[in-house]
Each structure stands twice: as C-alpha cells, then as structure tokens.
Amino acid sequence: MSTYRYFATDVVTGAVRADTIPLHVDSFGRNLGGVGQPGQLTATLDLGALPKQSNLLAALEPRRTLLWALQDGWPIWAGVLWDWVHASAKSNQLPVIANELGSLFARRQVRNDQVYNGVDEFDVIRNLIKYATSTSVKGTQAAVAQLVHTANTSGIAISETFPAANLGKITDLVNQVCTKYGLEYAFDPGMSSTNSPIITLRIGTAATMGRPYSSTNLQLMYPGNAIDYAWPRTGSAGTSSLIAIASGSGGAAWVSNPATHGLDTTDLAAGYPLTEDSVSYTGSVINAQSGIDAFADSRQLLVAKSPTIGKVTLAGGSTPTVQQIQLGDHATLIATSSLHPAGANGAPGLIQDARIVGWTVHPPDGQPETTDLFLGGVAT
C-alpha cells in the first residue's frame, strides 16, 4: 500500500501555500492531452477536524491554488483547484474539485495573431503554451511558475496561423493541432534537479510519447495483478465516413473530399454498415484542400470501427504503480474471463498490446486502494 500526501502552491508564483493538507481524497486521475480531457481530483476537507481551518481554507483558494498529490514522496498529480462544492454548513465538509494544469489553458485565449511559418510541429504547441503564459504579452498574472518545457522536436516543419479575431481557446487550438498532425502531450508532475516540484510539458506522437513494451515489460494479467478489467466496445461512436468542414482565409469554406478522405474503407469492405458524421475544424487557418483532408483522416481514426478504451483495475500494493508509468507507455493485457474464455490448451482468451492513455488512483481513505489504468490504441 502506498502513502499519499497533498500540498498546495501558488499557480502564478510557485510559493508554497500549505506543506500538508489533510484532504480526504476520493480519486485523482491523469489523461494524455490530445487523447482525453484533463484528469480530475475530487476530495473533501473536514472542517470540523481542523485546528487552524482559516489557514487551510486560504491554501485552497479557488483559481489561485495548484494542488499536488505525492505517492510515496514523489509528485504524481498536479492541477488547479477550481471549485468549492460546498452544499451544507451543518455537515462541516468542504468538497473541492481540481483539474490537471491543462484545464487552465481552456481559460486562456489567443488575443494576438499567432503566425508560425516553417516551425517544428512540436514547437507550435510549445509556442501556444508559452504565449498563454507570457508575462510580457498577457501580464504578470499569466505566469505559471512551476511549468517547464522540453526542447525535443519532430523534424517536421509546418505553418499555422491563429487569428486573434477568432478568440480561440488555447486548449482547443492545441487539441486541433494534435488531431491534425497526430500529436499528443502531457503535463507531467515531477521534481527538478534541485528537488523542487515542477510540471513538464511533454510533447510527442503516439510512437514517441510512451515506451514500447520491449522497454516497459508491463504485463496486466487477469486473473493476476489485475483484480478486474472492462472491455467496452462503443459501436455507437463508430464512424466510417467523416466529413470535415472549416473556414479558410478570406471567409472561404473548405470541405474534405468524402470520396477519398475520412473514410474507413476496410470497415466497409468487411460488411459493416455505413455510418456518417461531420466535424468542424476551428483551429488554425486552412489554406489548402490537403489541410482539411488531413484533418478528416486524423479525426476519423479516433472514431474508427467500435472504439475501445479498456480499463484494468489493480489493487493497492500491486505493480505497476503510477510512478512506474509514463502516459503513453505500452503494456500487454493478458486476460481470461467469461467475455474472453480460454482458448485451446488453456491459452488466454485475450492478449492485447495497448497504450496506457490515462489512469485514476483511489487512495486508501475510507475505501480500498485501487488504480484504474485506461488502455487506448485499440479499435475492435
């Protein structure tokens, strides 16, 4: 069983607001950016048990507080505390909700034209975040003191324009770039070389964001280290033909070519019925047919066939812990159950390589400690 501690710093300055906060945490989770929404932490502060409740209430000031979770002394989660969900003074309970740092950038806009010509695709994302936190452009309170950037590049130069007139939200624009070019990102909590808590913006592709199975050797076995697993197949979300629509420069409209793009020809050839949908692209300015066609192709891959996000539940004390996992890591799920009965000679019913695209920890506070790992990269 792991031990957990929670502390708070200031979003803007990084100053410690409280070294230890006796929160009762229901759960906290993380997700890959470009794949899922920012993970959330839900917790309760017992006001009736606080000797100095005024100090701790100040440390949990909404919007100003960056809340951290340590597992066995290492930062594994960090996010902005947004809401007090107080519903009763009589209860002496203060429920709070925080979301990963990426949620802050859903509340920052492009208010100055951002033009990137011949820029590495990773730097487009990096530059949008740097713009959103620029004190020279947006003022002192735009800073996020504990955010640091990597310098890796893909070697692929692209050109993108984000007009101020659109007032695009940074998170929306980053996610559109990710969909268009097949990119992902994560805000990884950790420690600096001087043992200070930091959050690193990590950017990559599905091939580079996590480690391959040959490096991780992560096996998730049911029965075994997993106490349960779920394998939903969301056929209702599957789309075999997707049209993308966007506005271009000068007000021109762009529509992807449905005969050659956004089309799952393999699925249709296998006998599945046609399912159609459309999506609007609201990211950078589209200047060529190839741009909107590429977006349709990338977006269709996210909803191909019957999308499956598997969930594997580990008991407290089992490995891997989330400290041992990078979001994007590959693992092999080996399972036998009534859904996936054993094969010939007792072979496992399911052997599937998948990527860990998110996780949720349920700390041992009035509940059994468990960790849910969410597995993506599977279309069934």
Side-chain angles (χ1 to χ4, degrees):
M1 182 180 294
S2 295
T3 58
Y4 297 87
R5 180 167 69 87
Y6 310 96
F7 69 97
T9 60
D10 189 279
V11 171
V12 176
T13 68
V16 175
R17 299 180 62 81
D19 183 67
T20 300
I21 304 178
L23 287 173
H24 299 285
V25 176
D26 299 316
S27 65
F28 56 89
R30 294 189 60 211
N31 295 309
L32 269 178
V35 176
Q37 297 299 311
Q40 186 172 87
L41 178 147
T42 58
T44 301
L45 187 66
D46 187 351
L47 300 176
L50 296 182
K52 298 179 180 179
Q53 77 178 44
S54 60
N55 292 350
L56 287 176
L57 287 175
L60 293 174
E61 177 65 18
R63 297 180 295 124
R64 188 170 183 176
T65 296
L66 191 61
L67 191 61
W68 299 74
L70 300 177
Q71 182 187 63
D72 301 325
W74 186 262
I76 57 169
W77 195 92
V80 180
L81 192 147
W82 289 110
D83 299 321
W84 289 4
V85 198
H86 188 254
S88 167
K90 186 177 180 178
S91 71
N92 285 327
Q93 302 295 308
L94 177 63
V96 298
I97 295 175
N99 293 88
E100 282 190 277
L101 183 61
S103 64
L104 178 64
F105 301 107
R107 295 161 174 84
R108 300 264 171 104
Q109 292 178 309
V110 169
R111 295 186 173 182
N112 312 82
D113 289 347
Q114 298 299 296
V115 180
Y116 309 122
N117 290 321
V119 174
D120 188 272
E121 58 186 354
F122 292 0
D123 283 330
V124 171
I125 294 175
R126 197 173 288 124
N127 289 344
L128 282 170
I129 299 297
K130 287 182 176 180
Y131 162 76
T133 55
S134 171
T135 57
S136 62
V137 176
K138 288 186 170 287
T140 304
Q141 297 308 111
V144 179
Q146 291 164 293
L147 175 62
V148 299
H149 294 271
T150 57
N152 64 314
T153 58
S154 70
I156 299 174
I158 61 175
S159 295
E160 297 288 340
T161 298
F162 305 95
N166 291 351
L167 293 174
K169 299 290 183 65
I170 297 296
T171 294
D172 291 342
L173 299 178
V174 166
N175 287 340
Q176 294 271 17
V177 170
C178 286
T179 300
K180 187 176 180 180
Y181 296 105
L183 307 180
E184 299 173 350
Y185 62 96
F187 291 97
D188 293 334
M191 300 289 281
S192 71
S193 58
T194 58
N195 291 322
S196 298
I198 57 173
I199 302 173
T200 302
L201 173 59
R202 182 165 56 98
I203 306 169
T205 67
T208 63
M209 275 297 279
R211 299 166 293 178
Y213 175 72
S214 60
S215 297
T216 67
N217 293 312
L218 291 175
Q219 288 192 349
L220 308 172
M221 302 184 68
Y222 179 84
N225 58 345
I227 59 174
D228 200 1
Y229 80 101
W231 201 252
R233 300 179 64 205
T234 316
S236 58
T239 300
S240 52
S241 178
L242 185 75
I243 290 179
I245 305 167
S247 296
S249 57
W254 292 96
V255 180
S256 62
N257 185 341
T260 55
H261 293 277
L263 193 63
D264 189 345
T265 55
T266 302
D267 192 61
L268 294 170
Y272 288 90
L274 174 69
T275 51
E276 298 175 323
D277 203 356
S278 58
V279 63
S280 296
Y281 177 75
T282 57
S284 59
V285 174
I286 295 291
N287 291 310
Q289 182 67 37
S290 59
I292 195 65
D293 285 342
F295 179 74
D297 290 337
S298 297
R299 187 62 181 263
Q300 196 280 323
L301 289 175
L302 299 179
V303 292
K305 301 177 175 60
S306 298
T308 296
I309 299 292
K311 181 180 76 170
V312 175
T313 301
L314 308 177
S318 298
T319 56
T321 65
V322 294
Q323 284 189 61
Q324 298 169 307
I325 295 169
Q326 291 181 15
L327 288 179
D329 275 352
H330 282 258
T332 296
L333 173 61
I334 303 171
T336 299
S337 68
S338 55
L339 180 64
H340 299 111
N345 302 316
L350 175 67
I351 301 176
Q352 178 70 55
D353 176 80
R355 300 176 65 224
I356 299 173
V357 297
W359 53 254
T360 298
V361 170
H362 303 267
D365 190 343
Q367 61 186 356
E369 181 185 15
T370 59
T371 299
D372 295 327
L373 304 179
F374 296 96
L375 307 180
V378 180
T380 60

